[in-house]
């Protein structure tokens, strides 16, 4: 029996599909937020994979892999691929940032650079 205020089934899956799709499209378009969305998606993928690996280990499905039907084998493999894929995304996107000699942010095109600060008033 489900609680009256429980979310409908498959909402988490639909939310994750939307997050993964947003990350893929933003990376394809080279948007500024693509790294952050990719890290968030990788964290969710790794967490889901870790939970699935823990579940398959708890029910000893890994030890009896050869005896499982095709659906069970695919479930175990999906758990491990989800964990490894999420960790790979996190490792690849969690770089150290820009190199030391990288230029700082530039003003937008068509805008002049900001004026230098005014000199301090006399007597300060």
């Amino acid at each position: 029996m489900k609680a009256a205020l429980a979310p409908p089934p498959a909402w988490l899956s639909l939310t994750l599909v939307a997050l993964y799709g947003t990350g893929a499209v933003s990376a394809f378009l080279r948007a500024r937020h693509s790294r952050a969305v990719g890290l968030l998606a990788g964290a969710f993928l790794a967490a889901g994979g870790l939970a699935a690996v823990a579940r398959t280990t708890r029910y000893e499905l890994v030890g009896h892999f050869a005896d499982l039907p095709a659906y069970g084998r695919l479930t175990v493999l999906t758990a491990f691929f989800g964990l490894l894929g999420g960790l790979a995304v996190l490792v690849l996107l969690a770089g150290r940032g820009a190199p030391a000699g990288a230029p700082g942010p530039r003003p937008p095109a068509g805008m002049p650079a900001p004026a230098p600060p005014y000199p301090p008033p006399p007597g300060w």
Side-chain angles (χ1 to χ4, degrees):
M1 184 168 152
K2 291 204 172 225
L5 297 176
W11 269 33
L12 177 62
S13 297
L14 290 174
T15 304
L16 290 178
V17 165
L19 178 66
Y20 298 151
T22 303
V25 169
S26 65
F28 180 72
L29 297 176
R30 296 179 182 252
R32 297 183 130 214
H33 62 274
S34 61
R35 183 175 178 190
V37 174
L39 283 169
L40 184 63
F44 277 120
L45 186 60
L50 182 64
V53 167
R55 190 171 38 252
T56 58
T57 304
R58 167 70 174 97
Y59 293 118
E60 299 176 2
L61 297 177
V62 178
H64 303 289
F65 186 77
D67 301 332
L68 293 175
Y71 177 75
R73 290 180 187 170
L74 289 176
T75 301
V76 172
L77 290 175
T78 301
F80 281 100
F81 282 132
L83 176 61
L84 292 176
L87 290 177
V89 167
L90 290 176
V91 167
L92 291 174
L93 291 180
R96 297 188 183 262
R106 288 183 245 146
M111 298 280 301
Y118 292 108
W124 272 53

